[in-house]
């Protein structure tokens, strides 16, 4: 964040890994959680980066996040795999699942790994380079059967979560990285805005009586987050959510119908090898044309130029690696008590 003190990325990674290791996570799991939280911050997803670390550490202390072990294999048909995540760290499960999906896609052309009962997985976009760096296209979908912050379109009681989906699309240049959700905003953002005494610029939440509002506090007082499209075209976000719930919890065979307690997430990762379809070069020819057509599109008044999804994230990431990462105000200070409790030295700024 502009004006904040930058920290070397390597220092933040080491700090986060040490925190989670001291809290009891196995080394590979601590490394994965640290890696993808810091990746999220580097990309600019600041509500889903190290801002989540305190909550994760509390989940470990409370026994909500499983510290060690392996997911249970529910089924494996080569191109279709299902795991029970046993509340293991979501970052570890998701990154591992996408790596497996990529390996299987190189054999079968496409592969899907579904995870039921994972812990929270963070920012979906952070995992996409696992696939795009190998020239593969990927999709990640997530939902949380333990939460219900969004009402179905036309209703006013929460049934499902923001249910994000992310797509990584290779191009001849930087990949297109799409990370969107079935709700306009998220619970994490609403909580941050409440802490900072801010309101939304538009009516993105709904109070318990079904009235639209700019006040994030109504979402924490019996209200809900509005679906993507708002009161005008919210059926679009509603449809996205129904698909996300089915492709995650439905395929996992575990979700809301089981009324899970504590933090539970369901995740589906899919990888595609373009070579198995129309061919890698033909794929890049098409995505390259599309990327150029979007970038060269005449901008409307007030817009400097048309960007592609993931372009700003890539720029932020490169800048963070070169010059250090400036975290959102309050994140480092919020982790200080955990660092003291666990005997981990605080990171040093540049």
């Amino acid at each position: 964040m502009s004006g904040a003190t930058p920290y070397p990325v390597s220092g933040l990674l080491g700090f986060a890994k040490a925190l989670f290791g001291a809290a009891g996570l196995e080394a590979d799991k601590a490394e994965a959680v640290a890696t993808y939280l810091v990746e999220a911050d580097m990309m600019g997803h600041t509500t889903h980066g190290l801002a989540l670390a305190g909550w994760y550490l509390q989940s470990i202390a409370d026994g909500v996040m499983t510290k060690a072990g392996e997911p249970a294999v529910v089924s494996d048909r080569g191109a279709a795999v299902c795991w029970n995540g046993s509340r293991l760290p979501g970052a570890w499960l998701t990154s591992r699942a996408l790596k497996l999906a990529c390996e299987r896609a190189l054999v079968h052309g496409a592969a899907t790994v579904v995870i039921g009962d994972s812990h929270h997985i963070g920012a979906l976009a952070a995992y996409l380079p696992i696939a795009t760096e190998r020239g593969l296209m990927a999709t990640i979908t997530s939902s949380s059967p333990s939460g219900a912050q969004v009402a179905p379109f036309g209703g006013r009681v929460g049934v499902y979560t923001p249910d994000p989906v992310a797509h990584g699309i290779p191009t001849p240049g930087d990949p297109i990285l799409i990370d969107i959700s079935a709700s306009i905003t998220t619970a994490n953002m609403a909580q941050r805005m409440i802490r900072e005494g801010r309101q939304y610029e538009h009516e993105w939440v709904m109070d318990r009586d079904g009235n639209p509002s700019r006040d994030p506090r109504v979402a924490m007082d019996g209200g809900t987050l509005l679906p993507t499209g708002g009161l005008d075209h919210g059926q679009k976000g509603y449809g996205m959510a129904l698909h996300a719930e089915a492709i995650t919890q439905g395929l996992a065979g575990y979700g809301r119908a089981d009324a899970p307690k504590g933090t539970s997430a369901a995740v589906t990762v899919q990888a595609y090898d373009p070579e198995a379809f129309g061919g890698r070069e033909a794929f890049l020819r098409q995505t390259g044309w599309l990327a150029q057509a979007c970038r060269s599109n005449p901008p409307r008044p007030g817009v400097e130029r048309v960007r592609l999804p993931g372009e700003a994230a890539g720029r932020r990431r490169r800048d963070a690696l070169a010059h250090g990462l400036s975290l959102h105000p309050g994140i480092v200070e919020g982790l200080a008590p955990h660092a003291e409790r666990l005997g981990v030295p605080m990171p040093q700024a540049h």
Side-chain angles (χ1 to χ4, degrees):
M1 189 171 182
S2 179
T5 303
Y7 291 84
V9 169
S10 59
L12 287 176
L13 283 168
F15 169 65
K17 182 179 178 180
L19 271 181
F20 290 112
L25 289 189
E26 289 181 322
D28 59 338
K29 297 170 178 63
E31 182 173 10
V33 175
T35 295
Y36 293 102
L37 290 186
V38 173
E39 281 288 336
D41 275 317
M42 285 197 289
M43 292 175 128
H45 300 287
T46 62
T47 59
H48 284 63
L50 287 173
L52 297 172
W55 172 38
Y56 285 8
L57 290 167
Q58 191 60 53
S59 292
I60 297 169
D62 293 342
V64 177
M65 182 188 290
T66 304
K67 296 183 289 187
E70 297 286 325
V73 179
V74 178
S75 65
D76 187 343
R77 296 190 181 184
V81 180
C82 182
W83 295 342
N84 182 306
S86 304
R87 300 287 174 95
L88 287 159
W92 180 75
L93 285 168
T94 303
S95 58
R96 186 173 176 182
L98 187 52
K99 290 171 185 175
L100 176 62
C102 289
E103 293 297 331
R104 298 289 179 89
L106 292 172
V107 175
H108 302 286
T112 300
V113 181
V114 177
I115 311 168
D117 205 21
S118 165
H119 198 272
H120 191 262
I121 75 168
L124 275 60
Y127 306 99
L128 294 174
I130 292 172
T132 58
E133 288 176 359
R134 302 183 68 170
L136 306 179
M137 186 167 72
T139 293
I140 307 172
T141 310
S142 177
S143 65
S144 181
S146 56
Q149 298 95 355
V150 189
F153 186 59
R156 57 188 178 88
V157 176
V159 170
Y160 53 86
T161 40
D163 290 0
V165 60
H167 306 281
I169 305 171
T171 77
D174 290 336
I176 299 170
L177 304 178
I178 302 166
D179 192 339
I180 55 179
S181 69
S183 63
I184 299 178
T185 186
T186 65
N188 287 336
M189 179 57 75
Q191 291 165 355
R192 172 176 288 179
M193 296 189 75
I194 291 169
R195 289 194 302 269
E196 297 176 357
R198 294 189 290 144
Q199 293 206 340
Y200 292 113
E201 294 182 7
H202 305 282
E203 294 175 334
W204 288 354
V205 290
M206 184 169 61
D207 67 24
R208 63 172 68 198
D209 297 318
N211 301 305
S213 175
R214 295 174 52 232
D215 186 352
R217 293 175 299 178
V218 306
M220 305 298 152
D221 186 28
T224 57
L225 312 175
L226 279 171
T228 295
L231 295 184
D232 184 37
H233 284 82
Q235 76 274 9
K236 297 181 183 294
Y238 183 25
M240 289 171 58
L242 293 175
H243 175 262
E245 297 272 318
I247 203 173
T248 56
Q249 299 168 44
L251 291 182
Y254 182 85
R256 297 188 189 283
D258 304 287
K261 305 298 181 184
T263 301
S264 178
V267 188
T268 293
V269 303
Q270 298 166 295
Y272 307 85
D273 179 7
E275 191 62 40
F277 298 91
R280 188 179 304 272
E281 293 306 315
F283 177 88
L284 292 176
R285 177 171 170 265
Q286 297 297 330
T287 61
W289 185 96
L290 183 62
Q292 179 57 28
C294 291
R295 287 196 182 101
S296 62
N297 197 272
R300 65 176 177 82
V303 175
E304 181 181 354
R305 62 181 179 85
V306 176
R307 299 184 308 182
L308 287 167
E311 189 175 325
R315 185 185 67 250
R316 293 188 192 104
R317 187 180 189 278
R318 289 188 289 270
D319 183 71
L321 289 171
H323 306 294
L325 177 58
S326 298
L327 296 173
H328 192 85
I331 290 178
V332 173
E333 294 81 357
L335 290 175
H338 295 283
E340 182 176 1
R341 171 175 62 86
L342 296 168
V344 175
M346 292 293 290
Q348 298 300 307
H350 272 303

